[in-house]
Amino acid sequence: MRILIVEDTPDVAEAASASLGRAGFACDIAATLADARACIDITGYAAIVLDLNLPDGSGRDFLRERRRAGDLIPVLVLTAQFSVEDRVGALDEGADDYLVKPFDLRELEARLRALIRREAGRAENRIALAGLDFDAGAQSLRVNGAAVTATRRELALLNLLIANRGRIMPKDRLFDGLFGFENADVGTNTIELYVARLRKKLAGSGVSIETHRGLGYRLDLDG
Amino acid sequence: MRILIVEDTPDVAEAASASLGRAGFACDIAATLADARACIDITGYAAIVLDLNLPDGSGRDFLRERRRAGDLIPVLVLTAQFSVEDRVGALDEGADDYLVKPFDLRELEARLRALIRREAGRAENRIALAGLDFDAGAQSLRVNGAAVTATRRELALLNLLIANRGRIMPKDRLFDGLFGFENADVGTNTIELYVARLRKKLAGSGVSIETHRGLGYRLDLDG
DNA sequence: GTCAAGCTGTCATCAAGCTGTCATGCCACG
DNA sequence: CGTGGCATGACAGCTTGATGACAGCTTGAC
């Protein structure tokens, strides 16, 4: 799950990025609308966290622009405390949710998760597939009833694969989801490595990660 | 367990804060509705103690506002002795309990605990897990039948972990529950410290605090 | 008011285990 | 049967957590 944070205050952006990172999201930070556009052109995001006051324009314009272009990516807007006008306006222009600054990082995380969930058409954070039971909120994983420990990266990968289960995920998509730009120099072999590690932990669960040579990986039920 | 006290009389607010603090709650004080809103936006609370007469408006309006916004956080209202109208009105508007001023600090503590308990869906203050027997009301802890003394912070941490047992609790979440704003500059290493201290006291009880590197801590039965 | 006891949080140091690289071997597909 | 993509074990670096020691402060007793 890759998130774009459009926010020009470094402290806020980095705090959010760190918090969301810990929650298994890969975050990119854009300090201007121009940066944001560049990021969006380069890669896809599961959601955007958008501050309204930016050095090169209003986030509301950006939002309107994206919606006019037919982009339905979930957008969570950050507004100042007393600008009711901005809040309402942003919602009118297609924002999916807003958060008043200063905000609680956990709430940001929870709301983002809710947005992404809604977007994916799912009702729950918890998913059971055959012998696999994964709860994104508690970051807990069970295989055939037994708790299995997994690391942050493994959970992030599993999250991605589950969210797109049945579909073949290109390796670079997985890579984008696991690492933001700041880790862009990581070798692509890493994905293969984590797939291997995940497979070991999912062994016997009834779901497996299939390799599709030259195309990517797909998580699905066995058989 | 973090509590927000909305009260404009410093003496009362500080007495309550000190008393609840001794009971293991982390308290923040807001003297106005504006402050209260700001606090709520910044962090999450297990409950709110709300005075009705505030310099910038009525606590009842605030309460109505929160409920309209879909906020279900438990609210305990403080009312003057003879304003039956306020009392009933506040309950109608979604208050969960009220206390008539002047009130006994111990009663405040007990009622808050009851509210939080109800919210968590538990019927009892006392929880037994394997060889561990924890009573949040009496702040008493027994391990394999033997009384074990624990400090305020240790009990607060244990309380949080037990309330979320089986789930991985991120360190910053634990931090938020243990410290209010006035202690915001405490090093995060403190959580590790108290986890270590708690572990010593829980040794051999059948429950343990697992470390999940990069994710957080989880309290669960051994095995 | 004084004093002792013990709780608190900081620091420094050490240990653990996650992470990503590399090398090597395997397999599918042409 | 060759080649490129993938699998996987081993490893070193480094982030993260564990823990003992200590100083400051709170608390409660007298």
Side-chain angles (χ1 to χ4, degrees):
Chain A
M1 295 293 158
R2 196 152 172 184
I3 308 284
L4 177 63
I5 301 172
V6 188
E7 162 66 63
D8 61 337
T9 312
D11 285 356
V12 176
E14 272 157 30
S17 171
S19 165
L20 293 175
R22 239 165 293 142
F25 294 105
C27 299
D28 295 325
I29 297 174
T32 63
L33 292 183
D35 282 355
R37 289 193 189 94
C39 287
I40 286 179
D41 285 341
I42 292 171
T43 186
Y45 294 97
I48 298 177
V49 177
L50 177 66
D51 187 17
L52 292 186
N53 293 314
L54 293 162
D56 57 347
S58 162
R60 287 177 58 182
D61 295 330
F62 179 78
L63 180 58
R64 208 176 309 129
E65 168 193 318
R66 298 305 310 171
R67 294 308 185 217
R68 288 235 175 104
D71 191 349
L72 295 175
I73 181 172
V75 171
L76 187 152
V77 160
L78 302 178
T79 75
Q81 191 167 0
F82 299 112
S83 61
V84 179
E85 151 66 15
D86 260 349
R87 226 174 288 168
V88 175
L91 288 177
D92 279 348
E93 279 149 18
D96 298 277
D97 200 352
Y98 68 84
L99 214 46
V100 176
K101 291 204 277 190
F103 54 87
D104 181 0
L105 292 170
R106 283 167 301 164
E107 188 169 4
L108 175 62
E109 179 194 328
R111 289 190 183 223
L112 271 181
R113 226 192 277 286
L115 282 187
I116 294 168
R117 211 167 53 215
R118 198 190 304 161
E119 176 71 11
R122 278 188 275 131
E124 277 260 17
N125 262 345
R126 190 168 163 189
I127 289 204
L129 285 174
L132 186 154
D133 183 346
F134 177 59
D135 186 328
Q139 312 240 50
S140 81
L141 173 63
R142 290 177 165 272
V143 173
N144 298 326
V148 169
T149 62
T151 70
R152 210 167 22 133
R153 289 264 134 95
E154 289 164 358
L155 289 170
L157 176 60
L158 179 60
N159 212 3
L160 270 172
L161 289 171
I162 284 182
N164 295 280
R165 70 176 176 281
R167 258 174 293 170
I168 296 177
M169 290 290 285
K171 207 159 23 167
D172 52 1
R173 273 272 275 300
L174 295 174
F175 189 86
D176 279 358
L178 276 182
F179 307 96
F181 288 134
E182 74 272 25
N183 296 314
D185 53 348
V186 173
T188 52
N189 175 281
T190 317
I191 295 297
E192 291 149 24
L193 172 66
Y194 278 107
V195 167
R197 284 176 178 163
L198 249 188
R199 275 179 176 148
K200 269 186 199 157
K201 299 197 173 180
L202 299 185
S205 71
V207 308
S208 55
I209 303 171
E210 309 157 6
T211 302
H212 291 259
R213 202 158 257 269
L215 298 171
Y217 296 94
R218 184 173 79 169
L219 180 141
D220 217 338
L221 299 178
D222 288 348
Chain B
M1 297 294 160
R2 197 156 169 182
I3 308 284
L4 177 63
I5 301 172
V6 188
E7 162 69 65
D8 63 329
T9 312
D11 286 355
V12 177
E14 270 154 36
S17 171
S19 163
L20 293 176
R22 237 167 291 137
F25 293 104
C27 298
D28 296 326
I29 296 175
T32 63
L33 291 183
D35 281 354
R37 289 193 190 94
C39 288
I40 288 176
D41 285 338
I42 291 170
T43 188
Y45 293 98
I48 297 177
V49 177
L50 177 67
D51 185 22
L52 292 187
N53 293 314
L54 292 160
D56 57 346
S58 163
R60 287 178 56 184
D61 294 332
F62 177 77
L63 179 57
R64 209 175 309 129
E65 169 192 319
R66 298 305 310 170
R67 294 306 185 217
R68 287 238 176 100
D71 191 344
L72 295 174
I73 181 172
V75 171
L76 187 150
V77 160
L78 302 178
T79 75
Q81 192 165 3
F82 300 112
S83 62
V84 179
E85 152 65 15
D86 258 354
R87 224 174 288 166
V88 176
L91 288 177
D92 279 348
E93 279 148 18
D96 298 277
D97 201 356
Y98 68 84
L99 215 45
V100 176
K101 292 203 275 190
F103 53 87
D104 183 338
L105 290 170
R106 280 165 304 169
E107 185 172 2
L108 174 62
E109 181 193 326
R111 290 191 180 227
L112 270 181
R113 223 187 280 287
L115 284 186
I116 293 169
R117 207 170 55 214
R118 198 190 305 162
E119 176 73 9
R122 273 186 275 139
E124 277 240 53
N125 266 339
R126 192 167 159 193
I127 287 203
L129 285 175
L132 186 153
D133 184 344
F134 176 60
D135 186 329
Q139 304 239 64
S140 80
L141 174 62
R142 289 175 166 272
V143 173
N144 299 326
V148 169
T149 62
T151 70
R152 190 168 41 116
R153 295 272 198 247
E154 289 165 359
L155 289 170
L157 177 61
L158 179 60
N159 210 5
L160 272 172
L161 289 171
I162 284 182
N164 295 281
R165 69 177 175 279
R167 302 172 58 88
I168 294 178
M169 289 290 283
K171 210 160 19 168
D172 52 0
R173 211 76 163 261
L174 295 173
F175 189 87
D176 278 359
L178 243 55
F179 302 97
F181 288 133
E182 74 272 20
N183 296 314
D185 53 347
V186 171
T188 51
N189 176 283
T190 318
I191 296 298
E192 290 149 24
L193 173 65
Y194 279 106
V195 166
R197 286 175 178 163
L198 249 188
R199 275 180 177 147
K200 270 184 198 159
K201 301 197 173 180
L202 299 186
S205 71
V207 307
S208 55
I209 303 171
E210 308 159 6
T211 302
H212 293 259
R213 214 153 247 268
L215 295 169
Y217 295 95
R218 185 174 76 172
L219 180 141
D220 218 338
L221 299 178
D222 288 347

